[in-house]
Amino acid sequence: MLRALLSDDLPRSRLLAAILLAILIGLAGGPFLFEGSVAFRTMSMICIFIIVVASYDMLIGYTAVVSFAHMMFFGLGAYSMAILLRELGPTWPAAAAGLLVGQALSLLLALLLGLLSLRVRAIFFALVTLAVAYSFLQLLTQFYHFTGGEDGVRVRTPAELGPAFRLAESPWQGFNLFGFIGKVLSGEPVDEAWEQSFFTVRLTGRLLMYYLLFGSSLLLFLLMLRMMNSPFGRILQAIRENEFRVEALGYRTVLYRTASVVFAACFTAFAGALFALSTRYVNPETTVSFDLMVFVLLMTVIGGMGTLYGAVIGASLFLIAENYLQDLLRLLSGWAEGLPLLAALFHPSHWLLWFGLLFVASVYFFPQGVVGQLRLWAARRHRRRAAGAYRQAMDGSN
Amino acid sequence: MTAPNQDIQPKRNLAARLLQGLQRLQQRQPHYFLLLLITLVPLLFIRPDIWLMLTISGAAMGLLIFIMASGMTLTFGLMSVLNLGHGAFIAVGAYLGAAVLAFFGGKAAAASLVANLGAIVPALLAALLVAGALGLVFERLIIRPVYDSHPKQILVTVGGAIIIEQLIQVIWGASPLPVIRPQGLAGAIVIGDMTIERFRLLAVVLGLAIYWVMLRVIHHTKVGILIRAGVESTEMVEVLGYRIRLLFMAVFVVGSALAAFGGVLWGMYQELITAQIGAQLMVLVIVVIIIGGLGSVTGCFFASICVGLLNLYVGYLIPPLAGVAAVGLLVAVLMWRPQGLIPVIRV
């Protein structure tokens, strides 16, 4: 059952499986395990970015096609949803139309981009997409009558997804797990901490929205896992390893590459549409900026290219660290107060510098990312244990 | 063939001959054809005196782009190294130039051009030297370990660009930095109805000079022969006993220095710079080197001028589209000639 769900692509490392399970439980229990709006927003973003990063990994990790237009498709999905909801009113049919239009536009644009630049050389694709994504951003800000320009578009979601909608009148109880553990560790009596850790969760449309995100994220992730472990996915991986050989075997590599680009674009446009519904506000900075593209690149690389599990780990790690690292830097710059240069380097606003260093280092030293490293350790331990058992058996027989 | 046809009708009408000539130009000299197309078509929509003004300004902008882009096309042609951190060197140059100009503020503010040179020359030299040294470090630390794989190069050089951009912000702060434009270059020359900014003339002169020197070096020196041979076939040059890595390093350093040189000029041209300037110009640089054909200096030169011109014409005719004109041109050229104007490396 589990094997079929995961398309026979198991984590292959106990630690990795444990981490993935923790993330799954954390996200599934989400609003009932973590208190506060920051945690809620972070969890929503993790659900969305798992789709974005996993679909990007299909491109960069499985097919070795580097695209800089991934967030352009995300923006396309988000803006289609936002603009159609604005024009047609906040109804479910309008939302469906927004989703479909976003998908259709992404499909068309990805097909054009792929056929235009992939037939020359895969490397062209990175450059052309960079230029095209830039011009998309320019168009978004220039045609502000339609897109809202820098100010963006406020999204009016269907009422069922808004905070005013009540699923049930009586609120449920949530349990602040991390708060509880923290209190117990800091020496508070267990029963008192237990009492204090309960909080009320109001069953509003926002909760419904969150579970819509979570469900879509889970389903799409499993779908992508299925795709990448199908014959189609194998060919993509073969193209990554040796394009010439795949071509010699009779596959049209250009078509497979283009298909990979199109699928990735549609998945991320879907995530964009969900983003618009969830944050109820889209602007260029939060959907298509170049910085965001680099963040997605970082998430993919740090999590591990070529494994979809890397997307889960990368997105979760990055989005949590985005808040956490700045706190750490604030602490460090407090210590380094006397040394001006060091204090400047550790200034919280320069957290991207440290991420850049981490990024370069991880490409050199952990090219397989967190997931690859965990699997490597597991494989090593497995081998050692097998060797040990073999020796023991030999000793026994002597 | 059309030859016998011509014998029968020796005096065909002028339009047909012109069309035929254009067709031949399009096939044999695509770079001249594109330049002709881009300069002449807007003439139908723009008044001639304004057109001339725009053309000179566009050429100036194009030449600035050429100075910044030439290094990247050569590094790609020579070692097939794709350096997406190239834009960061432009930003480094712009900031260094701004700092040095501010340091020699008195000389820059003086009215005479000769006194201004006392500020401009040190600014350009500082940018050349520091960016060259930085290029050496960058090549060693960032690029050398990933010579063999393109995707890794893209990742690592993007990472390097982030680091350099952030370091610029650590040193100079995140808010936009004003650049002093030396007094002698501030004004404009008025010829009849036209006003031409002096700075643009300087850009034209410097850009042409650099192009000329580059062509001389590439076509008439030993190093140039090695570069051309290396672009054609890296292995063959190695077999003949030359250390192509060393050559590549030299080209990389010069390319980075030129990017910074262009950055100083760009900073003076814009008069206000941010650390993101590198990422923005990177897009133009990429467009230019793809249009020109990766590895080709001549192609890069023509593509730069075309992009510069198109930018200004479109900016004058349809302002909202100015930002995307270059990318539109890129798409059009890719449909027409997927390898770029002058394909050098077989791709």
Side-chain angles (χ1 to χ4, degrees):
Chain A
M1 174 65 188
L2 189 65
R3 216 166 244 285
L5 260 183
L6 297 181
S7 313
D8 214 12
D9 185 3
L10 301 174
R12 294 209 305 276
S13 155
R14 264 188 218 161
L15 188 55
L16 177 61
I19 295 172
L20 287 172
L21 199 66
I23 292 175
L24 179 69
I25 292 172
L27 288 179
F32 298 98
L33 290 178
F34 304 95
E35 201 179 352
S37 59
V38 176
F40 189 81
R41 208 171 48 234
T42 309
M43 283 185 301
S44 303
M45 289 311 258
I46 289 176
C47 286
I48 290 166
F49 272 83
I50 283 176
I51 308 176
V52 174
V53 177
S55 57
Y56 194 55
D57 196 28
M58 281 183 14
L59 268 186
I60 191 172
Y62 280 87
T63 328
V65 168
V66 183
S67 160
F68 285 102
H70 200 62
M71 293 319 274
M72 175 179 87
F73 294 114
F74 185 79
L76 213 53
Y79 269 92
S80 301
M81 182 62 95
I83 288 172
L84 273 165
L85 282 176
R86 185 185 67 195
E87 299 298 324
L88 301 180
T91 56
W92 285 104
L99 187 66
L100 283 180
V101 168
Q103 294 289 307
L105 286 179
S106 309
L107 184 121
L108 212 65
L109 199 56
L111 206 60
L112 277 178
L113 260 181
L115 291 179
L116 187 69
S117 47
L118 280 176
R119 68 193 167 124
V120 181
R121 203 186 210 194
I123 193 81
F124 260 48
F125 193 71
L127 301 177
V128 173
T129 49
L130 185 63
V132 169
Y134 172 77
S135 63
F136 182 75
L137 184 61
Q138 290 283 316
L139 286 177
L140 269 189
T141 47
Q142 287 295 333
F143 290 91
Y144 49 85
H145 297 300
F146 188 56
T147 62
E150 301 275 356
D151 295 334
V153 185
R154 197 160 289 287
V155 184
R156 292 185 302 160
T157 55
E160 285 82 356
L161 299 177
F165 179 74
R166 290 268 182 279
L167 285 171
E169 275 313 313
S170 57
W172 285 16
Q173 289 282 304
F175 182 72
N176 191 346
L177 193 64
F178 275 83
F180 173 67
I181 295 172
K183 276 181 190 141
V184 171
L185 287 182
S186 65
E188 272 186 49
V190 176
D191 51 341
E192 218 171 277
W194 180 263
E195 294 268 313
Q196 284 174 3
S197 294
F198 283 99
F199 62 97
T200 53
V201 182
R202 282 182 302 151
L203 302 182
T204 66
R206 283 172 61 70
L207 200 67
L208 192 65
M209 183 65 229
Y210 175 78
Y211 278 101
L212 187 66
L213 281 183
F214 174 72
S216 320
S217 182
L218 189 65
L219 277 178
L220 287 181
F221 179 77
L222 291 178
L223 177 64
M224 282 188 247
L225 208 56
R226 179 67 262 175
M227 277 172 64
M228 288 301 107
N229 289 292
S230 69
F232 172 73
R234 287 278 175 270
I235 293 169
L236 293 188
Q237 279 162 283
I239 291 173
R240 173 186 71 193
E241 299 303 332
N242 191 338
E243 186 195 350
F244 189 65
R245 216 157 147 181
V246 177
E247 201 139 32
L249 285 172
Y251 294 102
R252 292 216 175 169
T253 52
V254 178
L255 292 187
Y256 279 92
R257 276 221 183 91
T258 308
S260 163
V261 170
V262 168
F263 278 123
C266 287
F267 278 120
T268 191
F270 194 97
L274 289 177
F275 174 83
L277 285 178
S278 154
T279 54
R280 295 189 291 154
Y281 174 64
V282 292
N283 71 353
E285 206 189 323
T286 52
T287 52
V288 289
S289 69
F290 187 69
D291 283 349
L292 208 61
M293 187 64 244
V294 173
F295 291 166
V296 170
L297 204 62
L298 291 181
M299 293 184 214
T300 315
V301 170
I302 289 171
M305 286 187 285
T307 61
L308 287 176
Y309 295 118
V312 179
I313 306 253
S316 311
L317 203 65
F318 185 92
L319 288 169
I320 295 169
E322 201 183 350
N323 299 317
Y324 179 72
L325 189 69
Q326 290 188 44
D327 287 341
L328 182 74
L329 285 177
R330 204 164 290 130
L331 204 70
L332 282 175
S333 75
W335 284 343
E337 200 114 42
L339 309 156
L341 182 66
L342 220 55
L345 281 176
F346 286 134
H347 193 272
S349 65
H350 297 135
W351 65 279
L352 197 55
L353 171 70
W354 297 98
F355 242 106
L357 284 171
L358 185 67
F359 176 59
V360 173
S362 67
V363 173
Y364 286 153
F365 303 116
F366 312 107
Q368 307 290 310
V370 174
V371 169
Q373 203 61 31
L374 287 178
R375 280 182 169 171
L376 197 69
W377 284 340
R380 257 188 220 152
R381 213 183 49 171
H382 194 74
R383 261 206 309 278
R384 252 203 318 274
R385 195 171 290 163
Y390 177 72
R391 254 198 311 280
Q392 242 169 20
M394 293 303 277
D395 288 347
S397 69
N398 283 348
Chain B
M1 295 305 283
T2 52
N5 217 354
Q6 268 175 348
D7 287 340
I8 299 162
Q9 291 177 306
K11 284 188 181 171
R12 282 175 50 169
N13 57 16
L14 197 71
R17 297 228 331 243
L18 200 69
L19 215 67
Q20 205 182 19
L22 267 181
Q23 215 166 16
R24 203 179 311 143
L25 189 69
Q26 184 209 334
Q27 279 156 6
R28 292 190 195 154
Q29 306 266 295
H31 46 300
Y32 285 111
F33 175 75
L34 187 68
L35 190 61
L36 210 65
L37 194 73
I38 285 181
T39 43
L40 293 187
V41 170
L43 198 51
L44 302 174
F45 306 101
I46 306 175
R47 261 174 40 208
D49 53 334
I50 295 175
W51 175 83
L52 194 60
M53 225 156 73
L54 289 176
T55 306
I56 293 173
S57 304
M61 184 180 167
L63 284 161
L64 283 181
I65 299 172
F66 168 70
I67 296 173
M68 295 184 271
S70 51
M72 189 166 161
T73 199
L74 272 185
T75 42
F76 188 87
L78 201 57
M79 288 299 267
S80 183
V81 163
L82 192 64
N83 178 17
L84 288 182
H86 197 75
F89 289 97
I90 300 174
V92 168
Y95 271 84
L96 273 174
V100 174
L101 282 175
F103 185 75
F104 290 110
K107 282 181 184 162
S112 85
L113 195 58
V114 181
N116 289 160
L117 283 179
I120 298 171
V121 172
L124 290 174
L125 277 182
L128 278 176
L129 289 177
V130 174
L134 196 63
L136 196 66
V137 175
F138 199 79
E139 201 270 341
R140 276 287 162 103
L141 282 184
I142 305 262
I143 294 181
R144 180 148 303 187
V146 289
Y147 260 154
D148 45 344
S149 119
H150 272 149
K152 271 193 184 171
Q153 278 166 15
I154 293 175
L155 298 180
V156 164
T157 51
V158 165
I162 294 175
I163 295 172
I164 293 181
E165 196 176 280
Q166 290 293 314
L167 282 177
I168 287 176
Q169 288 195 5
V170 170
I171 297 171
W172 281 287
S175 47
L177 186 75
V179 185
I180 304 167
R181 187 188 278 189
Q183 270 303 307
L185 296 172
I189 300 169
V190 182
I191 309 169
D193 282 348
M194 294 189 301
T195 51
I196 300 164
E197 279 183 63
R198 284 186 194 168
F199 184 77
R200 294 179 195 254
L201 284 180
L202 175 80
V204 169
V205 171
L206 275 178
L208 285 177
I210 285 176
Y211 179 53
W212 184 76
V213 170
M214 212 176 256
L215 281 189
R216 290 295 293 184
V217 169
I218 287 179
H219 288 290
H220 298 281
T221 63
K222 180 83 181 274
V223 176
I225 287 177
L226 287 179
I227 290 176
R228 273 183 295 151
V231 169
E232 195 87 3
S233 163
T234 316
E235 282 145 14
M236 205 54 212
V237 177
E238 276 183 318
V239 167
L240 290 173
Y242 294 99
R243 296 208 293 186
I244 190 111
R245 286 267 164 112
L246 215 59
L247 181 69
F248 171 72
M249 218 163 70
V251 170
F252 192 89
V253 167
V254 172
S256 308
L258 275 178
F261 188 90
V264 177
L265 294 175
W266 191 264
M268 283 196 265
Y269 174 62
Q270 293 283 320
E271 295 183 271
L272 195 67
I273 50 175
T274 63
Q276 281 81 39
I277 183 179
Q280 286 156 12
L281 284 170
M282 196 66 210
V283 173
L284 279 182
V285 167
I286 284 172
V287 166
V288 158
I289 64 172
I290 295 182
I291 290 180
L294 289 171
S296 158
V297 173
T298 312
C300 178
F301 177 76
F302 277 90
S304 305
I305 292 183
C306 288
V307 165
L309 288 173
L310 193 70
N311 224 332
L312 283 193
Y313 294 144
V314 173
Y316 178 75
L317 288 171
I318 326 163
L321 291 182
V324 295
V327 178
L329 183 67
L330 169 72
V331 172
V333 168
L334 274 182
M335 288 203 280
W336 167 40
R337 292 175 73 87
Q339 318 263 342
L341 291 179
I342 306 178
V344 176
I345 359 168
R346 244 157 272 123
V347 282

